[in-house]
Amino acid sequence: KYTLEFRALRPDGRTRWLTTHGRIIFDTTGKPSRLLGAVSDITGQKLSQERFRALANAVPTFVWISEANGNVTYLNDAWYAYTGLTEFESLGTGWLKAVHTEDIESSLSIRRNARAQKLPYELELRYRRRDGEYRWYIARSVPMPDPETGALAWYGTSTDVEDYKRTEAALRHSKADLEQFAYAAAHDLQEPLRMISIYA
């Protein structure tokens, strides 16, 4: 069997994308005798893919696609610019190289459960930047049928929330400091009142 994609020029000068699928028919002696196949116009699919990639590369978040088995088949330019990894290093399960070791198992578990139930999912994890620093991200993904095969694929984004996390932590720290100050101030104010009460 074989599959081949190619471009063809129409008589009117327009270019169309075509795909051909075929297989060899063997005679009784095992020698190839015929080649059977079909050709389909996939120009619409190709244009949709090009638009998707252009849009995905225009946003600052990571955009990715993974198959039902969990293997990643697409990552946008933002991923490669951030991680410094190549496409060869990132696709499949290679993207895990950039995930913090403490976040790998929980991330994979959530993804596996979502794939088994064919449901969207959301999780938080840390990705390593090309300079070695880790930053927090929220990854969200939804299942959608693949336009070519019809099989479910998960389309997702990962958004940097490191600054939000730091602000949240600073606010929690400030709240704790404020509560401690309020307690101390209340105690200090109670002491003179206690003395006045004693003298009274």
Side-chain angles (χ1 to χ4, degrees), residues 63-98:
V63 178
W64 43 270
I65 303 171
S66 69
E67 297 174 328
N69 62 9
N71 287 339
V72 170
T73 58
Y74 171 79
L75 286 155
N76 69 338
D77 290 347
W79 167 268
Y80 299 112
Y82 176 86
T83 63
L85 297 173
T86 65
E87 186 177 66
F88 178 77
E89 293 171 318
S90 301
L91 297 184
T93 58
W95 61 275
L96 288 168
K97 296 184 188 82

Side-chain angles (χ1 to χ4, degrees), residues 154-174:
W154 269 255
Y155 289 72
T157 61
S158 295
T159 306
D160 189 326
V161 293
E162 179 69 25
D163 294 338
Y164 169 78
K165 284 273 192 183
R166 291 182 180 180
T167 302
E168 187 181 46
L171 287 173
R172 281 199 305 267
H173 184 68
S174 297

Side-chain angles (χ1 to χ4, degrees), residues 106-122:
S106 60
S107 298
L108 290 177
S109 176
I110 291 171
R111 291 169 191 264
R112 279 193 299 266
N113 291 337
R115 289 197 304 270
Q117 300 177 59
K118 301 179 181 179
L119 293 173
Y121 66 83
E122 179 178 308

Side-chain angles (χ1 to χ4, degrees), residues 113-182:
N113 291 337
R115 289 197 304 270
Q117 300 177 59
K118 301 179 181 179
L119 293 173
Y121 66 83
E122 179 178 308
L123 60 94
E124 292 187 3
L125 72 167
R126 288 163 286 183
Y127 290 116
R128 186 183 66 245
R129 200 164 59 188
R130 63 194 309 147
D131 63 3
E133 179 187 347
Y134 283 90
R135 293 180 66 84
W136 280 101
Y137 278 74
I138 288 183
R140 298 182 177 95
S141 185
V142 294
M144 295 175 63
D146 186 281
E148 293 182 10
T149 65
L152 279 183
W154 269 255
Y155 289 72
T157 61
S158 295
T159 306
D160 189 326
V161 293
E162 179 69 25
D163 294 338
Y164 169 78
K165 284 273 192 183
R166 291 182 180 180
T167 302
E168 187 181 46
L171 287 173
R172 281 199 305 267
H173 184 68
S174 297
K175 182 181 177 184
D177 288 346
L178 184 60
E179 288 174 351
Q180 188 175 6
F181 170 77

Side-chain angles (χ1 to χ4, degrees), residues 8-22:
L9 192 63
R10 287 169 48 104
D12 60 8
R14 290 187 298 169
T15 300
R16 306 293 292 180
W17 272 100
L18 303 175
T19 182
T20 177
H21 305 273

